[in-house]
Amino acid sequence: MSRNPFNEGWAVRTKVSAFAELGGAGSEWVSVTLPHDAQISSQRRSDAPSGAAGGYFPSGAFEYRKTLSVDEGDQGKVFVLEFDGVYRDAMVYVNGALAGQHAFGYSRFTVRIDPYLRFGSTNEIRVACRAHQDSRWYTGAGIYRDVHLIVKEPVHINVDGVRITTDDIDSERAVVEVAAEITNFSALTTTVEVTSSINEEGIAEAATGGSPLTLLPGTSAVVRHRLYVDSPALWSVDFPSLYTCVLQVRAEGRVLDKESIPFGIRRLQIDPKRGLRINGETVKLRGACVHHDNGPLGAATIAAAEERRVRLLKEAGFNAIRSSHNPASSALLEACDRLGMLVIDEAFDVWTSSKSDFDYATDFVQWWERDLEAMVAKDRNHPSVIMYSTGNEIPETGARDGGIWSRRLAEKLRSLDPSRPITNGINGFVSSLDLVLAGMKQHQAAPDGSGAGVNGMMTQVGDMMNQISASEMVSERTAESFSVLDVAGMNYGDGRYVLDKTLFPNRVIVGTETFPGQIARNWELVEAHSHVIGDFTWTGWDYLGEAGLGSVGYADSESGAAAMVARPYPWLSAWSGDLDITGERRPASYYREVVFGLRSRPYIAVHRPEFHGRAPLQTPWSWSDAIESWTWEGFEGCPVHVEVYSDADEIELILNGKSVGRTAVGADLAFRADFDFTYEPGQLTAVAYSDGIEQSRTHLNTAEKRISLEAQADREQLTPDTRDLAFVAIAVTDGNGIIHPGKDRAVTVTVSGAGRLQALGSANPATEETFAGPTRTTFDGRAIAIIRPVGEGDIYVTVDAADCETVRLQLRSVASTTSADRLLVS
């Protein structure tokens, strides 16, 4: 009757066979704390098999080991290891015996280990896994999500055996149905009392219920309690109210098992006339597609990083996340529940047709049902999860057999959870790939290595994709695949939005993936049409792999001879997110905030003057490489281009008290005003006017000459467990908080006391520097250090850089009694 973290005390090494070890191969074991990415510290190289897709990280096979001591008196209890995610092809061994395996790299899975334990002794747990040319992005490798050890009595609540539904809600009360699967592994017929108690967060008990249950030996049964909560606090984006259901199984006055499950009370409704409604209120999805990596941490899914990501995305104006293109971590969903972020949880990037040489398509037919079951078991009690997606850009969706598979997956999900709608990110272009296969092959064979499969074709085709997606051919090909869905997810298919209102009047649409540069046009369609419920940009948060997808080059410059979606080494990240891999907002994020109607103050973005006059070479996923800075030393008297994002009618730019121009907003791009003039240090002011009246203004100031190093932690108090982190923002400034983007420094971070340096990085999308070392060069004046507690006590952080005074920080790691305290971010 315990569920404890099982993240500490592990060791990892590169895996080789026993025969290879006899020949002297192999490496030493290195102590690690989970979650851990075994790939992120690997030496990247230009000839890595993963190429740009995997960020030029090498493939690898790894194995982990840990010891577990169990008391002799625990014989007869059920021991289960719960893995939230192992990438991939996990093989779990206990004392040398294979106890379980799991092919998919993103599903939560459990392994029962008590049949293999030696009670009263020490046991060895080993986990083998690998990553090798099996994805279109950086996956990481290893035990990269949390592990828990679950120990239960013979009569117990099954792991993931509780389902809480709240389908019947009104203003006076909510009906909460609790269904719990109970198993009797004992040799005797047993009668137990099962009770349910619902507690509102921070408030007293809201409802209780109970019932007896008799179980024959070796059988299971489902107990259902129908409870009534008066005046329920409904969960929503703005008010993410949570309850906790506490279940107990008792026999003869003794508690045999106990589970505490957080959940929310909320009602979902979807139709083409009123769109998506949550608790009766229409909600438009301001969506961000996100990959699973955490930038400098690699794939390591540490709860505090997931919490920070959700918080920063919400602060940037998003209210929804699409987990692209794999099931989200439990830690991410917990954060979305607490902070009020909606989630489309996506199952697969491939079905039966491969996109990479050794991807999940080879396992799909044998594993898809179990992986959908795992996703639903993980998701079903999370109020943040509002939709399931069966896949992303699946080529089969345009073929007859794809209609069969589409229906199988959708009906499987409905059998597991009928309370949530189902979608699929269908790309009409991809669904008709057989008709453009010759062109795709030609692009992949490009002698300069710039081929990038489907993404490469998309760059060449550009707006033609919409024409293809909206064509009669695609309408016919995808009709069955769309028909099985509750919501038609469309990747780069906004050309269908208006068309389908007539062709398919019952079709509800969500833009599951869209180009960042088209947000103004897309959002206008979302707001104008009730049957279009939202837009999900690619991407909300920059990520590792698909290196250079959103890059910007310039004609006649070394930085880019052509617009390529696959950049050569040392490119590392996609460079396509509203937020970069360190969590800093990029200009596109502020533009999107204006489009969403969430920002009225103008935002100034300045193009790098060294490229002035050169034609930018961009992909459909690119934004301009402008930054929010008026510090351009060495370019005094040179021409400069400035963008201002605003929802006003006009923008006036004032430089050092003198107007340099006043122009209409939206002449070239909606919500944007453009200016060309001569750079001069000082203060640049943007004034927004509507109907000739000033609405608001903003300023940029030039940094003073002196150089200073600043470092600030997102919080000073941490909890000494494996889920917590502190993020230290490092900046090269003038001492007054104004960043010097052109005076980057190699920064060295030293950590002592009750913490360690988990990662050090910058947003630089093309660098040979590692995230694992103590020194990293800032990018545009910024870097980030990630500190992990290793016990209770003080943590001392020093930050050094040439020509700068040392910065010293003191954090503290203090034990907390509640999970809410543990993950509280100031």
Side-chain angles (χ1 to χ4, degrees):
M1 194 185 66
S2 65
R3 184 178 189 272
N4 295 308
F6 203 61
N7 289 336
E8 297 185 281
W10 290 86
V12 66
R13 68 175 181 177
T14 302
K15 186 181 186 302
V16 297
S17 71
F19 297 100
E21 280 195 275
L22 287 174
S27 58
E28 296 297 319
W29 291 96
V30 177
S31 296
V32 295
T33 300
L34 307 181
H36 174 258
D37 182 355
Q39 200 171 28
I40 192 64
S41 60
S42 302
Q43 182 64 49
R44 297 165 62 233
R45 63 177 196 269
S46 60
D47 63 345
S50 68
Y56 299 99
F57 280 89
S59 301
F62 307 92
E63 63 177 337
Y64 292 77
R65 73 176 182 186
K66 175 181 168 62
T67 58
L68 171 65
S69 297
V70 291
D71 294 336
E72 193 166 352
D74 285 333
Q75 291 191 69
K77 293 183 178 179
V78 177
F79 284 71
V80 174
L81 285 179
E82 179 190 76
F83 296 88
D84 205 58
V86 180
Y87 201 87
R88 64 176 290 246
D89 286 333
M91 306 281 284
V92 181
Y93 299 87
V94 180
N95 296 322
L98 179 64
Q101 67 180 113
H102 200 84
F104 198 32
Y106 302 104
S107 288
R108 187 166 78 184
F109 65 97
T110 59
V111 177
R112 187 177 174 189
I113 63 172
D114 51 285
Y116 310 98
L117 293 176
R118 300 174 186 139
F119 290 87
S121 182
T122 299
N123 301 267
E124 183 184 65
I125 312 293
R126 289 208 187 200
V127 180
C129 53
R130 60 90 179 169
H132 176 62
Q133 292 179 261
D134 48 18
S135 179
R136 300 183 299 114
W137 57 86
Y138 175 82
T139 62
I143 311 177
Y144 71 100
R145 292 180 179 173
D146 287 315
V147 182
H148 286 87
L149 175 64
I150 301 170
V151 182
K152 289 180 175 284
E153 298 289 343
V155 180
H156 60 264
I157 304 166
N158 287 3
V159 177
D160 284 332
V162 179
R163 179 180 175 182
I164 302 170
T165 53
T166 60
D167 296 331
D168 187 354
I169 304 169
D170 59 37
S171 60
E172 296 181 355
R173 62 93 179 104
V175 180
V176 179
E177 183 171 293
V178 181
E181 188 174 18
I182 316 295
T183 293
N184 178 13
F185 277 163
S186 75
L188 301 174
T189 298
T190 303
T191 299
V192 296
E193 181 73 16
V194 182
T195 61
S196 299
S197 174
I198 295 177
N199 305 301
E200 188 174 353
E201 191 173 41
I203 306 178
E205 188 175 79
T208 59
S211 59
L213 170 67
T214 300
L215 290 166
L216 294 170
T219 65
S220 299
V222 174
V223 171
R224 296 184 187 274
H225 294 155
R226 189 174 172 88
L227 307 179
Y228 303 90
V229 176
D230 293 331
S231 302
L234 302 185
W235 187 96
S236 67
V237 169
D238 295 325
F239 301 99
S241 303
L242 291 174
Y243 290 81
T244 300
C245 180
V246 180
L247 286 97
Q248 292 191 53
V249 178
R250 292 174 175 270
E252 300 178 351
R254 187 166 69 96
V255 177
L256 301 180
D257 202 359
K258 181 179 179 179
E259 294 274 1
S260 296
I261 300 99
F263 73 100
I265 299 175
R266 57 108 176 94
R267 180 172 64 251
L268 294 178
Q269 296 168 286
I270 292 182
D271 66 74
K273 290 187 178 180
R274 286 167 291 187
L276 166 65
R277 287 179 292 162
I278 298 178
N279 304 325
E281 299 291 330
T282 298
V283 176
K284 294 290 189 178
L285 300 176
R286 305 190 301 268
C289 295
V290 294
H291 268 317
H292 71 289
D293 74 79
N294 274 299
L297 292 170
T301 305
I302 301 171
E306 299 286 72
E307 179 113 349
R308 175 177 179 263
R309 172 156 55 175
V310 174
R311 175 173 57 85
L312 293 179
L313 285 169
K314 189 167 184 180
E315 289 174 359
F318 293 108
N319 66 5
I321 287 173
R322 173 181 174 231
S323 69
S324 316
H325 304 293
N326 49 261
S329 70
S330 297
L332 182 75
L333 298 185
E334 290 165 8
C336 291
D337 288 347
R338 285 191 297 270
L339 297 177
M341 181 70 79
L342 305 172
V343 179
I344 296 178
D345 208 8
E346 191 155 86
F348 308 117
D349 187 53
V350 295
W351 292 351
T352 61
S353 179
S354 293
K355 295 179 181 177
S356 305
D357 290 346
F358 304 104
D359 63 19
Y360 179 73
T362 59
D363 301 304
F364 177 80
V365 173
Q366 289 77 29
W367 282 92
W368 70 272
E369 287 189 272
R370 283 171 284 184
D371 287 322
L372 287 185
E373 290 166 359
M375 182 176 76
V376 171
K378 168 180 63 68
D379 290 5
R380 62 190 176 192
N381 295 323
H382 288 283
S384 57
V385 179
I386 60 166
M387 213 178 302
Y388 298 121
S389 171
T390 56
N392 168 72
E393 296 183 346
I394 304 296
E396 296 97 308
T397 54
R400 190 167 66 170
D401 65 315
I404 296 171
W405 277 110
S406 295
R407 194 175 304 278
R408 283 176 181 166
L409 270 69
E411 291 307 315
K412 177 66 177 181
L413 284 173
R414 291 187 179 101
S415 72
L416 297 168
D417 183 1
S419 70
R420 289 176 171 89
I422 298 165
T423 189
N424 183 336
I426 294 178
N427 185 322
F429 178 84
V430 176
S431 298
S432 55
L433 270 182
D434 53 323
L435 300 183
V436 293
L437 187 58
M440 186 177 70
K441 287 182 177 179
Q442 181 181 0
H443 187 76
Q444 287 177 325
D448 62 359
S450 64
V454 174
N455 287 347
M457 284 298 298
M458 287 179 179
T459 297
Q460 288 188 337
V461 173
D463 285 341
M464 192 186 300
M465 275 205 304
N466 246 329
Q467 298 176 28
I468 294 174
S469 293
S471 67
E472 184 178 353
M473 171 196 69
V474 169
S475 294
E476 293 176 357
R477 278 176 165 244
T478 59
E480 184 172 5
S481 291
F482 274 129
S483 73
V484 306
L485 304 174
D486 303 300
V487 177
M490 295 187 182
N491 285 18
Y492 313 106
D494 50 280
R496 297 205 67 93
Y497 293 1
V498 176
L499 176 69
D500 282 6
K501 191 172 185 177
T502 301
L503 291 181
F504 305 97
N506 294 321
R507 181 174 286 182
V508 178
I509 294 173
V510 62
T512 37
E513 199 166 308
T514 61
F515 294 126
Q518 296 177 357
I519 179 58
R521 184 183 74 187
N522 288 343
W523 194 246
E524 183 179 10
L525 289 170
V526 171
E527 290 191 308
H529 299 283
S530 60
H531 72 293
V532 183
I533 64 173
D535 178 277
F536 285 78
T537 188
W538 192 267
T539 59
W541 193 286
D542 196 19
Y543 57 98
L544 304 179
E546 290 194 297
L549 179 77
S551 62
V552 178
Y554 290 90
D556 304 317
S557 76
E558 294 181 0
S559 62
M564 298 186 297
V565 297
R567 286 292 210 166
Y569 179 85
W571 272 81
L572 170 70
S573 66
W575 199 234
S576 67
D578 275 30
L579 281 72
D580 66 33
I581 61 171
T582 72
E584 287 291 332
R585 293 179 67 179
R586 300 174 66 201
S589 172
Y590 294 95
Y591 179 83
R592 189 181 310 278
E593 190 178 16
V594 172
V595 172
F596 284 156
L598 302 175
R599 179 188 177 92
S600 58
R601 189 163 56 92
Y603 178 87
I604 305 172
V606 182
H607 285 236
R608 302 172 194 269
E610 61 262 41
F611 299 120
H612 190 274
R614 292 178 174 175
L617 303 170
Q618 299 175 263
T619 78
W621 295 273
S622 301
W623 193 256
S624 73
D625 70 343
I627 63 172
E628 188 184 26
S629 178
W630 195 241
T631 303
W632 302 100
E633 188 174 343
F635 291 94
E636 294 81 0
C638 296
V640 66
H641 184 82
V642 174
E643 301 174 346
V644 181
Y645 311 145
S646 174
D647 60 357
D649 297 335
E650 295 178 298
I651 294 291
E652 182 180 21
L653 275 188
I654 301 172
L655 177 58
N656 297 327
K658 298 179 181 179
S659 177
V660 297
R662 181 165 170 169
T663 188
V665 175
D668 296 319
L669 180 69
F671 301 101
R672 191 185 77 188
D674 293 270
F675 299 85
D676 279 285
F677 55 101
T678 300
Y679 173 68
E680 175 186 307
Q683 185 180 78
L684 181 67
T685 301
V687 184
Y689 298 92
S690 291
D691 297 324
I693 301 172
E694 180 179 333
Q695 302 299 311
S696 58
R697 60 174 60 200
T698 192
H699 309 279
L700 288 182
N701 293 302
T702 302
E704 297 181 12
K705 296 289 186 181
R706 66 177 181 270
I707 301 296
S708 180
L709 195 62
E710 294 185 6
Q712 184 174 3
D714 61 346
R715 55 205 168 107
E716 296 181 353
Q717 184 167 308
L718 293 86
T719 300
D721 64 25
T722 61
R723 293 166 58 86
D724 213 357
L725 298 167
F727 291 81
V728 178
I730 301 168
V732 179
T733 75
D734 65 351
N736 296 316
I738 301 177
I739 291 177
H740 278 288
K743 294 188 176 181
D744 286 312
R745 293 289 189 274
V747 173
T748 299
V749 178
T750 305
V751 181
S752 60
R756 69 164 183 265
L757 181 63
Q758 182 71 19
L760 176 63
S762 75
N764 192 344
T767 176
E768 293 189 278
E769 293 182 303
T770 177
F771 296 116
T775 301
R776 183 69 181 245
T777 303
T778 60
F779 177 72
D780 283 340
R782 298 181 186 273
I784 195 163
I786 305 175
I787 314 300
R788 194 171 195 178
V790 296
E792 291 192 63
D794 292 329
I795 302 171
Y796 303 96
V797 182
T798 61
V799 186
D800 293 289
D803 307 319
C804 299
E805 290 187 10
T806 297
V807 179
R808 292 179 173 84
L809 302 176
Q810 182 175 337
L811 312 178
R812 186 160 180 79
S813 177
V814 181
S816 173
T817 57
T818 68
S819 60
D821 289 340
R822 180 174 65 241
L823 290 177
L824 180 64
V825 178
S826 61

